[in-house]
Amino acid sequence: IPSQLVENRPDVKQAELDLVAAKLDIKVAKARFYPSLGISAGIGFQAFDSKYLFKAPESLLYSVAGELINSNVIKETYYTANAKQIQAVYNYEKTILNAYIEVANQLAKIDNMAKTYDFKSQQVDALNKSVDISNDLFRSARADYMEVLMTQRDALESKFDLIETKMEQMSAVVNIYHALGGGWK
């Protein structure tokens, strides 16, 4: 199974998007190191004498202010963004590793269930032969009917085990589909 199929998992996609977001946060923090000039302006009426209150040139107040940049805040923002990116990288690696382990476990389970099914199938065949043999022994008066019933019971239980094993095998196939990113909500 190609490893690219693991990228379909929502948890892997979320970790990848978190990593991209952390990278963009670093770019924003780096951009704050560049000099910038913020200018704000205001205009209003100021008059201490009421006769100048509505006279435009004498009562207008103009203001221009610039922003001072605090370099310590910018450095700390940059260091925080770097730390968050490192944390996002670790989280991404952990998510990928968990997804890979989950897929590998499900593949091993499918393989083990196939081997178990083959073993159980051979066991059912052997017990069916023993039922035929016990019936032949009963007809020739070499065994009592209780032995025939016990042999039939063992054969029936092994058939039930075979069915349960097949059900677990099919369940493992569904689980591998889920582990590869299908069926998530």
Side-chain angles (χ1 to χ4, degrees), residues 19-104:
L19 186 60
V20 170
K23 185 177 179 182
L24 291 176
D25 286 343
I26 286 183
K27 286 184 179 182
V28 168
K30 275 185 182 179
R32 292 189 67 196
F33 279 114
Y34 296 119
S36 66
L37 178 63
I39 298 175
S40 62
I43 187 169
F45 286 101
Q46 177 182 7
F48 294 108
D49 193 356
S50 62
K51 67 180 180 175
Y52 295 117
L53 184 61
F54 294 106
K55 290 188 178 182
E58 292 90 3
S59 65
L60 285 178
L61 171 70
Y62 303 99
S63 70
V64 175
E67 292 182 13
L68 295 176
I69 299 172
N70 188 352
S71 65
N72 288 334
V73 171
I74 294 173
K75 286 179 187 177
E76 291 304 318
T77 304
Y78 178 73
Y79 294 144
T80 302
N82 273 337
K84 286 182 179 180
Q85 184 183 26
I86 291 170
Q87 184 179 7
V89 167
Y90 288 142
N91 186 33
Y92 181 71
E93 289 175 354
K94 183 181 93 172
T95 304
I96 291 288
L97 184 62
N98 285 341
Y100 177 76
I101 288 171
E102 189 175 330
V103 169

Side-chain angles (χ1 to χ4, degrees), residues 127 131 148-160:
L127 286 172
V131 167
V148 173
L149 290 177
M150 295 297 274
T151 308
Q152 288 176 349
R153 184 195 68 181
D154 291 342
L156 185 62
E157 286 177 0
S158 69
K159 287 178 186 177
F160 286 146

Side-chain angles (χ1 to χ4, degrees), residues 135-153:
N135 282 332
D136 290 342
L137 288 174
F138 177 71
R139 280 189 222 111
S140 65
R142 298 205 175 212
D144 60 357
Y145 196 67
M146 189 64 154
E147 290 177 18
V148 173
L149 290 177
M150 295 297 274
T151 308
Q152 288 176 349
R153 184 195 68 181

Side-chain angles (χ1 to χ4, degrees), residues 2-32:
S3 61
Q4 290 85 9
L5 290 176
V6 175
E7 291 177 0
N8 294 333
R9 293 172 55 114
D11 56 342
V12 172
K13 285 183 181 180
Q14 181 64 42
E16 186 177 346
L17 292 175
D18 290 344
L19 186 60
V20 170
K23 185 177 179 182
L24 291 176
D25 286 343
I26 286 183
K27 286 184 179 182
V28 168
K30 275 185 182 179
R32 292 189 67 196

